[in-house]
Structures are given as C-alpha cells and as structure tokens.
Amino acid sequence: MSSSTLSDFKALQPFNGLSELDLTPQVEVSLVIPARNASQTLETTIDDAHSFLQQRYGQLFEIILVPNPAPDDLMDPSIQIAEKLTEKFKEVRSCPHLFPPGKGAAIRTGLKNSRGKWILFTDSDLPYDLDFFDSAVLQLKQGFDLVTGNRRLPSSYFNIPVELLRLAYGRHRLGLGFNRLVRWLLPIRTTDTQAGIKALSRRLAQKVCLTQACPGFLFDLEIFLTAHAQNLKQTEFPVTLYLNSEKTTIRILRECILVAFWITRIKWRNHMKVYGKIPGFSKRILTRYRQASLPTRLFLSARWRLTPYSRMTSRLPERGIILDVGCGHGLFSLAAGLHSPTREVIGIDHDTHRVTLGSLAVQDLPNIHIQNGNISHLPKGTKPYSGIAMIDVMHYFDPPTQEELIQKAFDLLEPGGTLLVREVDPQSGIQSKWNRFYERMATRIGFTQSEKKELHFRTQSEWKELIQKSGFKVNSEPCSNLLFADILYTCERLH
C-alpha cells in the first residue's frame, strides 16, 4: 500500500476515544487556525489576526496554531513556522496535530486546547474578512451558540482576480450540488455548511468534542447537527471571500470517496441520535481504555461499576494538586481530573503496564498525569498537595509502614487539605470475608502486583485511631456496593 493510499485509508477512520474540554474559560476569545504546508505568509496572517484581536480584547485573547502536516509529507515546515510565531507573540500557542490526518481532527485539537469563552476558527490564509468575528461574537454574547459564515447570502462578496473566475464558478456550482445533497439527507437548513469561518460558544465546543467522529472536512456537518440536536441557537452572516490563488489542500477525486463514506456514516449517527446524546461520565471514562486487552477492559468496566468513584472524588478539594497513590490504571485519577478541571491530578503506581495504559488514557488531558512511582516513598511536590488519595492500597503494607505513610501524607498536605483512605472493614461478616478473599486471590495470581503476598487489614476503630494520631480530623462512611465492605475515611489536616 502506497503512502498516499495509506493516508486515504486513515482518513476514513473515526476518532478513538472521547475528548474533554474544560468549561471554565480563562480568556475572552480563542482563535483556532489549522495550518498545513504553511509558508512564510503565515506570519502575515498572524500579524493581521493578532492586531485585529488585540484592538478588541487587549490581552484577553489567544491564537492557537494547529500545524497538521500530512503523514507522507516530511518537508512540511508548518510546525517549525508555528513554533517561531509563538516566540514572536506571547498570545500565540502552537498545538501540533499529527494523527488522524484531516482538517476536522486538527480543528478539534484546537478546540480541546482552547481557553476562550468564545471560540473562533478560520483558515491559515485568511480567505475571509476578519470583521465577520465582530458580528459573530456579538451574537454569541446575545445567546447564540453557533455563528457561521455563508458565501451564498445575497450580501456576501467574492473578491477574486479575473483569471480565477472559472475556478470560483466551478467551486460554486459544486458547492451548491453538495449542499442540496446535505439538506436532503440531514436536518441542516443553511445553504453553506463548508465556509471555513465559524464562531462557537464554549458550551457547544465542549459538546462537539464529545460527538465529532469525522477527521476530514465534513466535520462542519457534525457541528451543525450537534447544535441542532442539542437545541442550541445558531445563525449566519454574509462574508467577504478573498480568493487570490488556486492553492488548496483538498484533492477533489480523493474527497469524493471520503464524502460518500462520511455522508453515510454521519447520516447513520444522526439517525441513532448520537449528536443529541452526550456520552455519560462512565462511557467517557471507559472509552479511553480501548487500546487495552479484552480481559483488562472487562476488569476496568466491572471495577468502575462496583466502585463509587464519583462520590469519592467529590470528597476532595475542587482545586489544587491531588496525588493519587497506587493509581493502577488511573480510573480514580481520571474521575478526579474530569470532575474538576481546576485540579491537577498526579497518579503514581509501581506497575509499569498499568501506568502505560493509564498514561495513554489521559494523554489529551493536560491536568492529569500518570507516572511510575514507589508508593512507599511519596513524591514531594513543589508546593503542598491539596488532596491525597490512597484507595485500596494500604492493606498491602505492614502496620509500621501504614503508620509511616499516613504521617507522610500529613506532612505533604497543605493546612485544610484532605486525605482519602478506602479500606476493607474486616468486621462486616460475609461481605468482609469475600472482600479479603478477592484481594488475596488477586495478589496471589499476580493480577494485582505486590512485593509482599501478605495483606494487613485494620478495623474501623483502629484506622481512626491511627489517622487521628497523625493530626487528622476523621470522618468514615460505607463506600462500596452490596458485594463488598469498604469504608472511606475522609481525613482533614487541621493545621
């Protein structure tokens, strides 16, 4: 299979996993610009865009460049040019996108990395008048979630040299035919879905990140369908299009094949109401482990359903640095980081295989980190932790080590910080016996890696006494389902 054919095949593949977007904005506006085969004219583009945004928003904006070179194009300088521009402008960030190939995938990478209340995007050669964004942001502030440019409105203008009239007319006729097909197949009413200039509310951008599957140029259709299915308001404005050359990153013959595939797939997804159903928290977590083996996925699915992760993470501070001790595959770290994006979660575990899977699961989440570490030597951060979690790990250590770990956690926490400890209650009858049997079997067969095969359990009163002795205020509560007998100890450092 040739490299170009391989690229075409990869462009048919949907995204793997789901991506999160922090709903808390940090600046007023984010402008996302994908760049492929960028030339030095990209610097002129950024100069114009930077000046435009600075006049309107001062320092409260960002420009996100998304260089996305084709997989078979080793000479594409887009990444190097983007990095150079980040040095010139402090408001410019470079977020390279390598896989899967396609403009839609690159735009979504920009959306995921955006920090603006309003998110705008356009093409790297600035083919549209930037004044469009003045009207667009005004509409977003008035309650609209999607504002798009429409080249076919009567008041839109084309600014083109005479020698490109034939090209422009041909594209216009092709676009009209495509649009008629789209409106016949899908609940889309606009006469121009593919104009490369749009503005989204952060709310819509978050939903698009969770529903988008197409990595190619038909991603625009999924934006319209998501807004429609979520009952979000949308409007459109005329634009001025500047067409100065025949340069394009679209190869018509190849795109015809992709259009047939993706129109069919998008229509089916719309029929299945995918765009109206934002995946639940459980699916958003478990889908991130698609690369794991089937037994591991089954184990993680069962563990997620049998363990009240959401309730446990709600006991932690909403902000600050959280240390997840013995994080395993990272389920608790994921739940904590997604529950509150203002947390920075660091998960450590000595099992290299589990850490690898956990790292892959959180690779697109900048506030969650999974890494190898020895849980008997807790890492000291640059500043005190807001929270430390030790979920189902303390029984692997002998009593003196348990006491040492609790004291270390106290020393590493900031005043008012929270320590979470979940352990089996050995005095809960049949549930307790089953709980301890499960833990021992998992350790002996090697499914749970531990340096020592002997396990050490304490009663509720013994745990409370040990934790209070270190200087914590302790609250305990049952924290499992009917099959198990786990107790969650929420411990507050008083001083």
Side-chain angles (χ1 to χ4, degrees):
M1 182 179 288
S2 69
S3 59
S4 60
T5 305
L6 179 61
S7 298
D8 290 354
F9 173 76
K10 288 179 177 178
L12 292 173
Q13 307 306 307
F15 292 117
N16 291 321
L18 299 166
S19 297
E20 306 298 328
L21 174 65
D22 180 4
L23 283 175
T24 306
Q26 299 177 37
V27 294
E28 279 290 303
V29 165
S30 296
L31 174 60
V32 176
I33 300 179
R36 172 172 290 185
N37 292 318
S39 65
Q40 294 302 326
T41 58
L42 182 59
E43 186 168 350
T44 302
T45 291
I46 300 305
D47 281 337
D48 293 344
H50 186 275
S51 177
F52 175 85
L53 294 172
Q54 191 174 54
Q55 289 177 14
R56 289 154 177 80
Y57 303 102
Q59 305 301 316
L60 298 178
F61 73 93
E62 63 179 359
I63 299 175
I64 302 177
L65 283 175
V66 189
N68 59 114
D72 55 353
D73 188 357
L74 301 178
M75 303 301 292
D76 189 335
S78 300
I79 294 179
Q80 291 81 2
I81 295 175
E83 291 297 333
K84 178 182 175 182
L85 289 168
T86 63
E87 298 174 1
K88 181 177 180 181
F89 300 102
K90 66 178 181 179
E91 293 85 5
V92 175
R93 293 195 291 137
S94 176
C95 301
H97 174 88
L98 302 178
F99 184 85
K103 180 180 178 181
I107 289 289
R108 194 179 72 159
T109 291
L111 296 181
K112 289 189 305 181
N113 286 279
S114 67
R115 301 176 297 178
K117 185 177 183 180
W118 320 117
I119 304 173
L120 325 173
F121 66 82
T122 190
D123 297 328
S124 60
D125 56 349
L126 286 190
Y128 299 96
D129 196 323
L130 290 175
D131 288 342
F132 166 85
F133 289 130
D134 288 332
S135 301
V137 171
L138 180 61
Q139 292 300 305
L140 292 175
K141 290 180 178 179
Q142 293 179 356
F144 286 87
D145 288 276
L146 174 61
V147 185
T148 62
N150 189 327
R151 296 164 292 182
R152 300 188 177 95
L153 293 177
S155 50
S156 288
Y157 288 89
F158 280 43
N159 189 323
I160 57 177
V162 172
E163 61 266 23
L164 295 182
L165 282 175
R166 184 185 297 273
L167 172 67
Y169 181 72
R171 289 184 181 177
H172 176 69
R173 299 296 299 177
L174 183 64
L176 287 175
F178 172 77
N179 187 262
R180 289 193 184 100
L181 175 65
V182 165
R183 285 186 287 150
W184 179 59
L185 292 173
L186 300 168
I188 293 176
R189 296 294 169 259
T190 179
T191 54
D192 188 5
T193 58
Q194 304 309 119
I197 187 165
K198 292 179 173 65
L200 291 71
S201 68
R202 193 160 191 81
R203 174 172 60 172
L204 174 59
Q206 194 266 354
K207 296 178 186 298
V208 167
C209 282
L210 294 172
T211 58
Q212 183 186 350
C214 178
F217 78 97
L218 292 187
F219 76 98
D220 298 83
L221 301 184
E222 296 191 286
I223 294 177
F224 283 101
L225 291 172
T226 300
H228 172 77
Q230 297 289 327
N231 295 314
L232 300 179
K233 294 174 65 178
Q234 50 186 299
T235 188
E236 57 188 9
F237 281 96
V239 291
T240 299
L241 172 65
Y242 298 90
L243 185 61
N244 298 313
S245 71
E246 296 186 53
K247 181 181 177 182
T248 177
T249 57
I250 295 177
R251 289 173 286 175
I252 299 298
L253 292 178
R254 189 194 78 159
E255 297 303 334
C256 288
I257 300 173
L258 299 182
V259 164
F261 175 86
W262 279 109
I263 282 285
T264 303
R265 183 176 177 84
I266 289 171
K267 180 172 175 57
W268 174 252
R269 297 182 89 233
N270 184 67
H271 175 72
M272 298 302 294
K273 302 187 185 303
V274 171
Y275 301 108
K277 293 186 287 189
I278 299 301
F281 200 56
S282 296
K283 185 176 181 180
R284 289 158 59 188
I285 295 282
L286 296 174
T287 308
R288 292 179 170 273
Y289 294 93
R290 283 181 175 174
Q291 70 275 14
S293 64
L294 178 60
T296 298
R297 295 201 309 271
L298 292 175
F299 166 77
L300 292 173
S301 179
R303 182 160 177 79
W304 177 265
R305 286 166 172 78
L306 293 173
T307 306
Y309 285 104
S310 295
R311 177 151 62 96
M312 289 193 293
T313 59
S314 69
R315 303 296 189 265
L316 290 169
E318 292 293 313
R319 318 182 152 266
I321 305 175
I322 308 296
L323 178 64
D324 181 12
V325 179
C327 65
H329 297 90
L331 285 176
F332 184 88
S333 297
L334 262 170
L338 294 179
H339 176 86
S340 178
T342 53
R343 295 170 178 158
E344 179 184 354
V345 183
I346 301 171
I348 62 168
D349 199 281
H350 71 288
D351 189 327
T352 303
H353 177 65
R354 293 189 175 190
V355 167
T356 299
L357 289 175
S359 298
L360 289 173
V362 305
Q363 61 183 338
D364 63 325
L365 300 173
N367 68 316
I368 307 177
H369 314 276
I370 307 295
Q371 59 195 43
N372 278 109
N374 189 334
I375 61 179
S376 62
H377 298 88
L378 302 185
K380 186 174 182 180
T382 56
K383 57 183 179 180
Y385 294 103
S386 297
I388 296 177
M390 300 179 177
I391 308 301
D392 304 333
V393 299
M394 294 293 280
H395 52 265
Y396 294 113
F397 300 95
D398 57 35
T401 304
Q402 291 175 351
E403 184 172 355
E404 181 183 350
L405 286 173
I406 295 294
Q407 187 59 54
K408 284 184 177 180
F410 181 89
D411 295 337
L412 292 173
L413 281 168
E414 64 186 13
T418 301
L419 168 66
L420 290 186
V421 176
R422 193 179 86 140
E423 281 297 317
V424 177
D425 180 7
Q427 296 182 323
S428 295
I430 296 177
Q431 293 170 309
S432 169
K433 291 179 181 178
W434 159 245
N435 221 152
R436 285 181 288 173
F437 172 77
Y438 163 80
E439 294 288 354
R440 289 192 174 98
M441 286 299 297
T443 302
R444 286 173 183 172
I445 66 177
F447 192 81
T448 299
Q449 293 188 14
S450 176
E451 296 177 358
K452 299 179 180 180
K453 300 301 181 183
E454 186 178 0
L455 304 179
H456 303 273
F457 298 95
R458 293 175 183 258
T459 65
Q460 280 197 63
S461 59
E462 288 171 339
W463 275 119
K464 283 188 173 182
E465 181 180 356
L466 171 61
I467 295 170
Q468 289 171 342
K469 178 182 175 182
S470 296
F472 288 102
K473 177 184 177 182
V474 187
N475 179 58
S476 63
E477 59 182 306
C479 189
S480 61
N481 63 12
L482 296 176
L483 294 177
F484 297 101
D486 296 292
I487 302 295
L488 180 67
Y489 302 90
T490 303
C491 320
E492 179 186 359
R493 174 175 170 167
L494 296 178
H495 56 81

